[in-house]
Amino acid sequence: MAKRAFLFGCLFLATNQTACQSFAGVKPMSLEWEKATLREAPEASFELTLYQDNWALVTDARPLELGRGRQLVRFSGIPPQTVGKGAYLQVPASVEGRRFRYDLSNKEHLLEKYDGKTVVISDATSSLTAQLIWTGSGPVYRIGDRLYPEPPGKVSLPELPGIALTPFLEWLIEPPESWSGIATASYQVESLGWTNEYTLITNEEQSRGDWKQWAALSNASGKAYEKARVTLVAGNVKRIHPPFPMYYGGARAMAEDASVEAFAGRYQYRLPGFFDLGKKAEERVALSERKNAPIERVFRVEGGVSLFLQPDPELPRKARIRLHLDNPLGEPMPSGKVTVYSPGSDGKLAIAGEPSIPDTPKSQRLVLDLGEAFDVTFTRTQTAYRLFEEQTEVSTLIKLKNDQKFPITVEVIEQASGDWTVTESSLPYEKISTTQLRFQLRLDAESERDLSYTVAVKRERRQ
């Protein structure tokens, strides 16, 4: 039982990058951070791998010189939003321990460091000393023989030896021999990521358009990066940590498109050149574009067959504008918002809609829903309702009206439940599923057109 418990401890330490020896009667060595020789690694170069749910993997390469024996390698100047768990250091040495230090990460964490220490409480006219007692949920102050949950003034903290006023990562290592070279640390950082966006500028008829893909880079991690290599990963990666909100800002164009390549079942973009991402930076980078892409505009009408008597016609409803187009970039398209601009009669552009698209393979067709059309309307009327022993027959009339100055394509989608069959129809139709039928027709400019059909639905026999 003891060996089993010790083995579990070894596995736990190993996941935290701590060396653990065999459980066959050998105890793991204790971690003596303060006694090890400190080796500060100065900043040199960064590679940032940004993910769409606002986090990043930072590859931090720094020059480092190591002697023999146990040493403490410190990477200072890292972001306050660093995630210490999972940080990894690549050096030719055995790594015995790792820790992330930043005592100003929040107020509670700082005050906990002063548990049992003497602090000063002052107001406008006087000051006094008190003992801070940390309760686990907040501080309590002992003044004389009394306890105060709230301090009677402003609290000032004395300087405390060993307190980490700036964030840093440390590894306790022991190399077999002296070494000089580049040590590479990899660690996760929150509030440093990217979102994918698109713009589509169409002609007045929305039959063609210029398509452009943008990457919105955001850095709210608390650290500025200079001359960093940047890779963007498309698609969400499963993590324990929740995403943080994104921010947006100005735009930047690159001399060449970012190349897209497959990566672990997803795709990534390697941005050419180097990037400066300052604190609270918000920057857009053009990734790719396609000029004069063909578009099919369809006005969609949706309704359903009612198996109940409906003597009154429905009120007029508006069709929805949908743009259909083949993948305009000819490559996998990450999910993102599409801002569609279209010109008015005066040629000035205005936003026609802002739909979102899911992750889209390169062979998949896109559909952009722009919302309701103002002057393409329809009404539905139940013109016949007949009950028979074995089936119910329902006849429907749909009146379509186009008040635009352009001819349009209309797609009518009707929902039907049960075991149904179309017995009559004024136009050809397509049964696209067990619950849907589809009509498609052209409607001239400033015209009306009727569509009628009859559906027979089998009735369930009662036992």
Side-chain angles (χ1 to χ4, degrees), residues 248-324:
Y248 301 95
R252 165 179 172 177
M254 294 186 297
E256 55 181 303
D257 286 348
S259 60
V260 58
E261 57 188 50
F263 163 71
R266 302 175 181 87
Y267 289 89
Q268 64 182 13
Y269 299 84
R270 295 189 184 275
L271 304 188
F274 296 90
F275 282 79
D276 293 337
L277 284 176
K279 293 181 180 180
K280 299 185 178 179
E282 305 161 4
E283 187 172 353
R284 281 176 173 76
V285 178
L287 295 180
S288 58
E289 64 180 344
R290 163 81 184 279
K291 297 287 188 181
N292 204 30
I295 303 171
E296 180 187 7
R297 182 174 63 174
V298 175
F299 291 82
R300 187 181 179 103
V301 169
E302 294 183 344
V305 177
S306 175
L307 298 181
F308 300 94
L309 181 63
Q310 292 184 327
D312 299 325
E314 295 180 359
L315 295 175
R317 295 161 58 188
K318 298 176 182 178
R320 297 192 69 83
I321 308 169
R322 291 160 64 94
L323 304 183
H324 296 244

Side-chain angles (χ1 to χ4, degrees), residues 150-396:
E150 297 294 334
K154 293 183 178 180
V155 179
S156 60
L157 307 175
E159 184 175 353
L160 194 64
I163 193 169
L165 300 180
T166 58
F168 56 82
L169 276 165
E170 290 181 332
W171 289 267
L172 190 61
I173 68 171
E174 186 168 353
E177 57 186 7
S178 299
W179 177 83
S180 177
I182 299 299
T184 302
S186 300
Y187 48 88
Q188 299 175 41
V189 174
E190 300 286 1
S191 300
L192 173 62
W194 78 292
T195 56
N196 191 62
E197 300 176 356
Y198 304 93
T199 55
L200 175 61
I201 302 176
T202 75
N203 57 9
E204 188 176 357
E205 297 85 2
Q206 294 181 325
S207 60
R208 288 193 169 271
D210 296 337
W211 188 280
K212 198 157 192 175
Q213 180 185 8
W214 299 87
L217 279 57
S218 171
N219 179 19
S221 67
K223 176 181 174 58
Y225 293 94
E226 296 181 358
K227 293 182 170 48
R229 293 279 189 184
V230 176
T231 299
L232 311 177
V233 176
N236 291 329
V237 177
K238 184 177 180 180
R239 298 174 70 230
I240 296 176
H241 303 282
F244 286 70
M246 286 294 292
Y247 302 89
Y248 301 95
R252 165 179 172 177
M254 294 186 297
E256 55 181 303
D257 286 348
S259 60
V260 58
E261 57 188 50
F263 163 71
R266 302 175 181 87
Y267 289 89
Q268 64 182 13
Y269 299 84
R270 295 189 184 275
L271 304 188
F274 296 90
F275 282 79
D276 293 337
L277 284 176
K279 293 181 180 180
K280 299 185 178 179
E282 305 161 4
E283 187 172 353
R284 281 176 173 76
V285 178
L287 295 180
S288 58
E289 64 180 344
R290 163 81 184 279
K291 297 287 188 181
N292 204 30
I295 303 171
E296 180 187 7
R297 182 174 63 174
V298 175
F299 291 82
R300 187 181 179 103
V301 169
E302 294 183 344
V305 177
S306 175
L307 298 181
F308 300 94
L309 181 63
Q310 292 184 327
D312 299 325
E314 295 180 359
L315 295 175
R317 295 161 58 188
K318 298 176 182 178
R320 297 192 69 83
I321 308 169
R322 291 160 64 94
L323 304 183
H324 296 244
L325 62 163
D326 293 328
N327 186 317
L329 301 180
E331 60 188 33
M333 299 177 62
S335 61
K337 180 184 69 174
V338 182
T339 303
V340 180
Y341 295 89
S342 298
S345 57
D346 58 357
K348 294 182 179 180
L349 293 177
I351 293 178
E354 282 192 323
S356 293
I357 63 171
D359 291 334
T360 304
K362 64 179 182 180
S363 61
Q364 184 171 310
R365 193 167 170 83
L366 291 177
V367 177
L368 307 179
D369 190 324
L370 304 187
E372 292 183 338
F374 187 85
D375 46 14
V376 179
T377 57
F378 68 98
T379 58
R380 301 179 79 261
T381 305
Q382 188 183 85
T383 57
Y385 181 82
R386 295 178 291 275
L387 284 175
F388 298 98
E389 183 178 351
E390 295 187 349
Q391 66 183 27
T392 301
E393 291 186 359
V394 180
S395 298
T396 303

Side-chain angles (χ1 to χ4, degrees), residues 78-124:
I78 64 175
Q81 295 285 358
T82 297
V83 179
K85 295 179 179 179
Y88 182 75
L89 178 67
Q90 297 182 57
V91 290
S94 63
V95 180
E96 300 172 3
R98 177 199 65 219
R99 64 182 182 182
F100 170 68
R101 293 284 312 279
Y102 184 43
D103 294 329
L104 300 187
S105 57
N106 57 64
K107 179 181 177 181
E108 289 73 19
H109 182 67
L110 175 63
L111 292 179
E112 188 177 0
K113 296 290 182 181
Y114 284 84
D115 182 30
K117 301 294 190 298
T118 299
V119 300
V120 177
I121 301 177
S122 58
D123 55 22

